[in-house]
Amino acid sequence: MIRTAVIGFASMWYNNQNIFRYKRRRFTDMLDDDVRIRPAVPEEAEELSDIAWSSKGYWEYPVEVMNEFRSFLLIREEFIENNIVYLAENEETEEKIGFYALEKDDEKGQWWLRHMWVIPEYIGSGIGGELFLHACETAETVGAEEIYILSDPSGTEFFTHLGAEQIGEELFKVGNLDRILPVLKIKL
């Protein structure tokens, strides 16, 4: 189901550097720039934190709530070194557009989509769907049979549209905030 939901937005191929590239077809309000998805490097941690911060801010949380998210939205070099992190960028300008991170919970043997963020100017452009498809394909290459997602309520509809199903809820503590968040799963 994922492949048919997302593949319509782009044709894909690997080049000799194993970087996913997308050539967009023309859709209403879709990007017509070339976008590449490539592995992030630890030195880009600050830029990825900025993407996460601006993307979270798109949902108009009050300032005091956004401040509680600060530690969760901070991407550290060690996180990039120890997990699978890919970013989308404009091929010509190298502008960073979004990123995702997969993390394995070794104790449970589960793969989790820990981060998936797109800068506000590109929300609704198809980049999120492309990143999610790429994350699913990447997870398959490392042996995952499913991906778990602890979703912000504002992102749940996006993930279910792409084939994930809600399987429960989980208490998520960030700073002084306690939030009940949907847990989703997608079979690969």
Side-chain angles (χ1 to χ4, degrees):
M1 180 163 176
I2 288 177
R3 286 177 173 77
T4 55
V6 178
I7 202 80
F9 290 107
S11 57
M12 300 173 286
W13 72 92
Y14 284 99
N15 69 2
N16 60 356
Q17 299 165 334
N18 203 27
I19 295 175
F20 240 75
R21 295 185 187 253
Y22 293 86
K23 293 279 186 190
R24 289 221 203 311
R25 296 184 193 148
R26 203 124 165 89
F27 287 95
T28 30
D29 298 329
M30 291 290 284
L31 301 172
D32 54 6
D33 294 326
D34 288 340
V35 173
R36 70 175 158 221
I37 298 177
R38 65 165 177 81
V41 295
E43 296 76 27
E44 293 170 316
E46 186 175 338
E47 289 175 280
L48 298 185
S49 296
D50 291 344
I51 291 170
W53 183 259
S54 68
S55 182
K56 190 69 163 175
Y58 173 83
W59 302 103
E60 299 181 356
Y61 287 100
V63 173
E64 60 276 2
V65 173
M66 283 296 291
N67 286 332
E68 295 295 330
F69 291 136
R70 189 170 301 280
S71 65
F72 173 71
L73 299 174
L74 179 64
I75 309 300
R76 299 186 185 283
E77 289 184 10
E78 301 80 38
F79 181 83
I80 297 171
E81 290 169 355
N82 296 320
N83 295 286
I84 299 172
V85 183
Y86 277 81
L87 64 83
E89 68 183 358
N90 180 293
E91 196 166 16
E92 290 181 22
T93 66
E94 297 184 359
E95 174 191 17
K96 312 289 188 290
I97 298 169
F99 76 97
Y100 73 82
L102 291 168
E103 181 178 43
K104 186 169 186 186
D105 180 339
D106 289 322
E107 195 173 291
K108 296 180 181 177
Q110 298 172 334
W111 282 93
W112 286 82
L113 182 66
R114 289 295 182 202
H115 290 279
M116 194 170 113
W117 305 103
V118 175
I119 61 173
E121 304 89 272
Y122 288 88
I123 290 175
S125 71
I127 291 294
E130 292 178 11
L131 282 168
F132 187 66
L133 174 62
H134 191 275
C136 291
E137 291 177 342
T138 301
E140 280 184 306
T141 66
V142 295
E145 295 179 8
E146 51 202 14
I147 297 175
Y148 292 84
I149 306 159
L150 186 62
S151 177
D152 193 277
S154 60
T156 302
E157 184 178 338
F158 168 80
F159 291 116
T160 56
H161 177 73
L162 294 175
E165 62 180 323
Q166 185 169 342
I167 59 168
E169 294 179 328
E170 188 173 303
L171 176 65
F172 186 69
K173 188 166 181 63
V174 178
N176 294 320
L177 289 178
D178 288 339
R179 303 178 74 209
I180 303 294
L181 299 179
V183 178
L184 303 131
K185 176 174 75 173
I186 186 153
K187 291 185 184 283
L188 305 175

